[in-house]
Amino acid sequence: MLSAKGFEAAFSYIQLFGEGLITTVTLSALTVIFGFMLALVLALMRMSNFRPLHFLDKPGCGRVVKVLSKFNPISLVANIYVEVFRATPLLVQLFIVYYILLAGVSLPAFKLFGIIRFERMIPGVIALSLNSGAYLSEIIRSGIQSIDGGQTEAARSLGMTQWHTMQYIVLPQAIKNILPAIANEFVTIIKESSICWTIGVQEVMFAVNSIKSATYFIGEPLIIAACVYFCLTFPTSKIIAYFERRMSRGDKR
Amino acid sequence: MATSDKLIQVKNLKKYYNKGALHALDDVSVDINRGDVMVVIGPSGSGKSTLLRSLNLLEVPTDGEIIFHGIDITKKTFTNKEGKTEKVNINLHRQKMGMVFQHFNLFPHKTILDNMTLAPIKVLGMDQKEAEEKAMALLKRVGLEDRAGAYPIQLSGGQKQRIAIVRALMMEPEVMLFDEPTSALDPEMVGEVLEVMKELARDGMTMVVVTHEMGFAREVGNRVLFMADGQLLEQGTPEEIFSTPKHHRLQDFLAKVL
Ligand SMILES: Nc1ncnc2c1ncn2[C@@H]1O[C@H](COP(=O)(O)OP(=O)(O)OP(=O)(O)O)[C@@H](O)[C@H]1O
Ligand SMILES: [Mg+2]
């Protein structure tokens, strides 16, 4: 049952929510940045046309040889990565990073902005980035594929290399097109980052837990946490939608 | 004609699609000489674009040779003067072949000036100031110097195509390839683009032009190729092709378009 007394008690810890909010935003922002960089690499890997066995493809060769000649280890590795990370729970990935991957690693222990415990946040950022990288790579890939082939042809016909074409022509246009999708991923990450309290990252949900231990109220801090998340994500989504509309209008001019 | 006049030699070029079921190019051989304005005509689907796009390897031919500067650019390697095997660098050859597309393909996220200077700066290593001066001079030639800071979306089709032409000229190509440069334009804009192309021809630029503008072919072309079903069925001077066509497919085609 919720009670006025409970809210009063929870509000006396409002500073924890403030710090949790800053941590959540920092955690999510870092995740989007690193996740995006990982996703870019994954997307390019998945779209590579590296076929070391293509010389096997000769007219009249068998079906097995035909399949072998199309073998692309780079895109295979990236595809496996994406499928694995999309098919396993984020919580499991977080625990694997924290308890296994970084078990023997001693990260420098200091407080970012005087609030955020660096050594706790890094495993969170890593796990969330690895996870969102898988999802974002799909977005980036579709963004790249949505760019008219004529753009690449024009650039290549001017003598530009494949990489320069990607760098100066395709990627800038693709990223502009997918900015709304990336921003939406940011909103998703804000919500998903809440599980990081399980490894001691002092974000919003961690504040809830601390208040629960101190006051034995749980419902009231949870309601406040829900409001904090809502106040963070709802305006963000609306702002994204606004820019999305404006950008599509600009294109039709 | 002397060998040195041959800029591009196409030998037995073949391009098959659908596992060989469709012959987009069926054994085409043709020489393109320096100073030629070669116009390629033919019905839809006859392989005109495929031929043109093969010249700078936007389409990789199934078989045959394209000799440019003495090098077969369809192969991965060539033997240099010292007898050593070298890799064919297709980017190097493409710099020397400008291409103009039916749908302009300007870079929408870059200004007109940036559209023109990007490749010279990144590919040739030209410095920015020099590239911009060169671009402004070319823009002046096509009467668009006041649009240097505009974005492609702010231009008319005819203006876009004129920009596409001078963008290609920035690389100082030895040959310009045009794939139906006026087909996507409103009729009132066709003239301004053809005018730029005529001027190029007058300046001695080697050009290969796929077009349905028979007037241009007659007036500016010095050679006309007629293609059908992936084959080069007839070639000759505009006079020969338009006044005394021999192949019945060409006669049928001309009866329809003229
Ligand atoms: N990527 C492709 N895959 C399969 N078939 C293709 C491909 N590109 C072209 N073709 C086929 O090759 C043939 C020649 O096409 P091409 O575009 O060269 O014709 P065209 O003479 O330029 O025609 P148009 O006047 O319509 O532009 C056509 O039958 C076309 O359908
Ligand atoms: Mg065509």
Side-chain angles (χ1 to χ4, degrees):
Chain A
M1 280 302 267
L2 301 176
S3 68
K5 206 163 145 259
F7 277 109
E8 209 173 296
F11 268 115
S12 67
Y13 289 92
I14 195 74
Q15 195 196 343
L16 281 186
F17 280 112
E19 291 176 5
L21 181 68
I22 293 170
T23 308
T24 291
V25 171
T26 311
L27 184 63
S28 308
L30 288 176
T31 297
V32 172
I33 293 166
F34 291 119
F36 176 78
M37 292 194 290
L38 171 65
L40 196 57
V41 174
L42 286 171
L44 293 176
M45 283 173 73
R46 294 175 81 185
M47 288 168 39
S48 81
N49 47 16
F50 175 65
R51 297 206 180 101
L53 301 177
H54 74 102
F55 62 87
L56 291 173
D57 187 15
K58 300 239 165 60
C61 67
R63 183 166 289 172
V64 179
V65 178
K66 202 118 205 157
V67 170
L68 259 170
S69 74
K70 293 207 168 73
F71 172 67
N72 180 339
I74 292 181
S75 91
L76 182 71
V77 166
N79 277 322
I80 290 175
Y81 177 94
V82 170
E83 294 307 336
V84 166
F85 273 83
R86 297 209 307 179
T88 51
L90 177 56
L91 188 61
V92 174
Q93 295 163 16
L94 180 70
F95 280 6
I96 288 177
V97 168
Y98 186 68
Y99 291 110
I100 302 176
L101 233 53
L102 297 177
V105 186
S106 61
L107 292 158
F110 65 91
K111 285 194 168 173
L112 211 60
F113 312 136
I115 314 169
I116 306 168
R117 287 176 63 183
F118 183 79
E119 78 282 9
R120 290 298 171 94
M121 187 172 73
I122 290 308
V125 169
I126 291 175
L128 285 173
S129 301
L130 291 175
N131 179 271
S132 75
Y135 286 92
L136 279 170
S137 84
E138 200 59 36
I139 295 173
I140 294 177
R141 190 172 69 151
S142 69
I144 290 174
Q145 282 169 346
S146 74
I147 302 303
D148 178 32
Q151 291 289 308
T152 303
E153 291 187 349
R156 298 305 303 271
S157 78
L158 289 164
M160 289 171 70
T161 60
Q162 194 178 353
W163 173 242
H164 271 171
T165 302
M166 204 30 109
Q167 190 182 356
Y168 298 113
I169 306 302
V170 179
L171 277 183
Q173 295 183 59
I175 288 171
K176 187 189 161 225
N177 289 350
I178 60 175
L179 268 182
I182 292 173
N184 281 324
E185 178 69 10
F186 179 58
V187 170
T188 305
I189 292 167
I190 288 176
K191 291 182 285 182
E192 287 184 342
S193 70
S194 62
I195 69 162
C196 287
W197 75 274
T198 54
I199 59 164
V201 183
Q202 289 156 313
E203 41 71 71
V204 175
M205 277 311 287
F206 190 90
V208 171
N209 236 38
S210 307
I211 295 168
K212 181 188 134 200
S213 314
T215 65
Y216 300 103
F217 289 112
I218 175 68
E220 296 79 355
L222 271 175
I223 299 284
I224 297 174
C227 291
V228 169
Y229 279 116
F230 182 82
C231 292
L232 200 56
T233 54
F234 182 74
T236 313
S237 311
K238 288 293 154 201
I239 293 168
I240 296 164
Y242 171 75
F243 280 109
E244 208 172 341
R245 273 197 307 276
R246 254 189 53 165
M247 257 161 61
S248 60
R249 205 185 308 145
D251 286 342
K252 282 191 206 92
R253 186 157 42 119
Chain B
M1 209 166 275
T3 338
S4 62
D5 282 336
K6 287 180 184 166
L7 186 58
I8 305 175
Q9 288 171 274
V10 177
K11 292 185 183 170
N12 308 101
L13 203 63
K14 302 184 180 85
K15 176 69 181 182
Y16 299 164
Y17 285 113
N18 306 342
K19 303 194 170 88
L22 194 140
H23 294 198
L25 285 181
D26 198 357
D27 205 358
V28 172
S29 299
V30 64
D31 290 346
I32 300 160
N33 302 314
R34 262 180 219 284
D36 264 351
V37 177
M38 181 183 277
V39 180
V40 185
I41 60 172
S44 179
S46 57
K48 307 181 296 292
S49 297
T50 308
L51 173 63
L52 197 75
R53 293 158 53 80
S54 296
L55 293 179
N56 66 355
L57 251 55
L58 285 184
E59 256 9 297
V60 181
T62 310
D63 194 22
E65 298 175 13
I66 297 167
I67 317 282
F68 184 54
H69 289 287
I71 295 170
D72 179 3
I73 59 174
T74 65
K75 305 294 180 292
K76 286 203 159 58
T77 57
F78 71 102
T79 310
N80 68 11
K81 288 189 199 83
E82 286 108 55
K84 290 208 185 75
T85 304
E86 254 188 77
K87 258 199 150 88
V88 173
N89 181 353
I90 187 59
N91 296 322
L92 218 59
H93 300 297
R94 282 181 177 148
Q95 291 165 29
K96 297 278 153 217
M97 300 183 179
M99 185 149 199
V100 175
F101 302 85
Q102 181 174 356
H103 296 287
F104 330 125
N105 298 351
L106 296 183
F107 308 133
H109 61 305
K110 295 201 171 288
T111 62
I112 299 311
L113 198 62
D114 289 343
N115 260 275
M116 294 176 70
T117 57
L118 179 72
I121 292 173
K122 298 299 173 195
V123 177
L124 302 178
M126 201 184 275
D127 73 55
Q128 174 141 359
K129 190 159 168 286
E130 188 191 345
E132 284 180 0
E133 276 165 13
K134 194 181 166 106
M136 288 312 293
L138 279 167
L139 282 174
K140 203 162 185 161
R141 251 178 70 181
V142 294
L144 290 169
E145 69 268 40
D146 56 329
R147 308 315 309 269
Y151 282 88
I153 200 162
Q154 298 167 307
L155 303 186
S156 72
Q159 292 175 327
K160 280 186 205 166
Q161 197 60 299
R162 284 185 279 158
I163 298 296
I165 294 172
V166 287
R167 177 177 71 178
L169 291 178
M170 285 291 290
M171 301 296 286
E172 301 197 343
E174 292 174 28
V175 54
M176 286 283 284
L177 313 173
F178 295 84
D179 193 359
E180 301 198 28
T182 57
S183 296
L185 297 177
D186 292 336
E188 73 268 21
M189 293 171 184
V190 170
E192 63 192 63
V193 171
L194 291 182
E195 203 46 53
V196 172
M197 292 170 62
K198 277 179 204 169
E199 204 183 301
L200 262 183
R202 268 198 300 270
D203 290 350
M205 175 62 78
T206 309
M207 295 161 65
V208 183
V209 186
V210 174
T211 187
H212 295 296
E213 295 289 330
M214 296 303 151
F216 178 88
R218 226 189 265 251
E219 191 186 334
V220 189
N222 71 323
R223 293 168 68 194
V224 179
L225 309 187
F226 172 70
M227 292 187 66
D229 299 332
Q231 293 176 325
L232 179 53
L233 287 189
E234 195 161 334
Q235 59 171 311
T237 63
E239 177 66 20
E240 289 164 349
I241 293 290
F242 292 111
S243 305
T244 56
K246 292 184 202 67
H247 203 285
H248 72 95
R249 294 284 303 268
L250 175 57
Q251 292 164 357
D252 291 349
F253 176 75
L254 291 175
K256 278 194 201 107
V257 297
L258 289 181

